Amino acid sequence: MNRKSLFSLLLIGSLFLSMGCKNDDAVSPIAENLASEDAANVVAGEVGTESGGVNDMLSDMTDFRSSPLFANEEGGTALLNETGTGRYGTYTRTYNPDTQTWTVVIEASFQNPVRSGSWRREYTYFFSKNGVKQQFFITGGVMADKINFVIVESGCSGQFTNPRISHQLTALRGSVEATVSVANGDTLLTVNSLAPRYRAAIDSIKIRGGLRTSDYNLTLTLTNVVVPTRLDRRLPEQFVGGRRFRNVRPISGTISGTYNAFITFQRGDQYSEREVTRYFTINFGGSTGELVDLEITGRNAPKFKGRINLQTGELN
C-alpha cells in the first residue's frame, strides 16, 4: 500500500471515530424536546378534569355550593351525612362532630369514544372562621373564611386513557387551604398548597410513532389559584351518559412543580434520556376558556411551551 492510500484510510477512520463520539456524547435538540413533550403530556393529565386531576379536585372543593347540607343549618338540626350523585358518579359525605371535619368519598367514571377514566378520591376538610372550626360553610349566619382540604392517600386510586396516554395511578396526596372572598356576587376561593400535591403513576405514552413507559412522580405547588365557586358559564356544555356537567375554571394564579421519570422504550428509541427531570409552570392568568398556558424547562433542554385543555387533560 502506498503512502497516499494509507493516509486516506487513516483520515476516513478518524472521521468515523469522531462521528461516533459525537453521537454518543451529544443529545439531539429534537430528542430533548420530545422528552419535554412527554413530560408536558403527563402534566396535562395531572391537571385535567376528565383525568381526575387538579381541576377535578378544585371542582370537588366547590361542590358544597350545590348542597344545602354545606350551605346552612336546617332548623338547627345537625346533618351528619349525605349521599348523592355528583358530576361523574356518586359521593358520600360524613361529618365527625368530635373533630368538626368532613370526609368525602367520590367514586367517578367517564367514557366517550375518544377517552375514558375511572377514579376514587377521598378527602377530609373543614370550614373555619377566624381560626375557629364550624360545621357548615355558613353556620348561624356566619360564613367561613377558610377551607382546609386534605387528600387521603389510602383512599385514592384511578386510571384513564386518551389518544396519547394510558395512565395508572400509584400514589396521590397533598393538602391545600382556600381563603374565601366575595366579588361581584360570586364567592371566590384563593387556593394555596399547604403540602405539595404529590402524584406517582405509570403512564404508557404514544407520541410520534413511539411507545414508551414513564414511571414517574410529580410534585405540584398551587400559588394563589383563584377559583370562582360558580361553575364557569364560558365553557361549552358537555354531556356524559346523556347528563350535562360543568366544571370550575381558575382565573389567576400558578401551579409549579417537578416531573421525575424513568423511561423505558417499547417501540422507537427516540431519545437518549432514561432518567428525565423537568420543571413546569402553569399560568392561569395568561389564558381563557378551556385552555391554560404551560411551560416546561430542564437542564440542557430547550424550553417547551404548550397549552393544557382543562376539561380533557390533554396537551393542545
Side-chain angles (χ1 to χ4, degrees), residues 18-218:
S18 65
M19 290 173 64
C21 291
K22 183 176 181 180
N23 287 338
D24 287 342
D25 296 341
V27 179
S28 162
I30 295 175
E32 287 178 332
N33 213 39
L34 184 56
S36 295
E37 185 178 351
D38 282 358
N41 277 279
V42 169
V43 171
E46 163 59 353
V47 172
T49 299
E50 292 174 3
S51 48
V54 173
N55 205 56
D56 184 58
M57 180 192 75
L58 294 174
S59 297
D60 291 337
M61 289 184 68
T62 66
D63 279 348
F64 69 87
R65 280 296 299 260
S66 63
S67 170
L69 173 67
F70 278 70
N72 53 57
E73 294 174 311
E74 296 182 359
T77 301
L79 304 177
L80 300 181
N81 60 74
E82 177 189 47
T83 299
T85 300
R87 288 169 295 113
Y88 296 103
T90 62
Y91 64 86
T92 300
R93 294 172 172 145
T94 305
Y95 185 68
N96 184 333
D98 294 331
T99 62
Q100 296 180 280
T101 300
W102 294 92
T103 297
V104 183
V105 176
I106 299 169
E107 300 276 358
S109 63
F110 169 83
Q111 184 171 5
N112 68 23
V114 178
R115 60 189 68 87
S116 64
S118 61
W119 58 94
R120 184 184 194 274
R121 297 290 184 264
E122 183 175 343
Y123 308 113
T124 62
Y125 66 111
F126 64 83
F127 304 108
S128 64
K129 175 71 173 182
N130 297 327
V132 179
K133 289 183 179 180
Q134 58 187 52
Q135 180 175 354
F136 302 102
F137 179 62
I138 299 176
T139 302
V142 177
M143 186 174 74
D145 59 12
K146 293 284 177 64
I147 306 174
N148 287 69
F149 199 86
V150 178
I151 301 169
V152 180
E153 182 173 0
S154 61
C156 295
S157 60
Q159 58 81 32
F160 69 82
T161 60
N162 64 39
R164 296 173 183 166
I165 297 285
S166 178
H167 163 87
Q168 184 65 54
L169 182 71
T170 57
L172 183 67
R173 59 179 178 267
S175 62
V176 297
E177 182 177 77
T179 301
V180 181
S181 61
V182 178
N184 299 320
D186 191 14
T187 302
L188 305 177
L189 304 182
T190 300
V191 183
N192 285 278
S193 290
L194 294 177
R197 181 179 169 107
Y198 174 90
R199 179 175 187 163
I202 299 174
D203 286 9
S204 178
I205 303 172
K206 297 179 291 184
I207 298 177
R208 307 192 187 284
L211 176 63
R212 46 203 171 269
T213 299
S214 175
D215 187 345
Y216 69 89
N217 63 73
L218 289 169

Side-chain angles (χ1 to χ4, degrees), residues 1 4-14:
M1 181 181 294
K4 183 176 181 180
S5 298
L6 179 60
F7 177 77
S8 297
L9 287 173
L10 290 172
L11 179 60
I12 291 171
S14 66

Side-chain angles (χ1 to χ4, degrees), residues 30 39 45 60 97 102 139 144 161 229 231 244 284 300 310:
I30 295 175
D60 291 337
W102 294 92
T139 302
T161 60
T229 60
L231 299 179
R244 188 178 72 189
F284 289 106
N300 300 323
L310 286 176

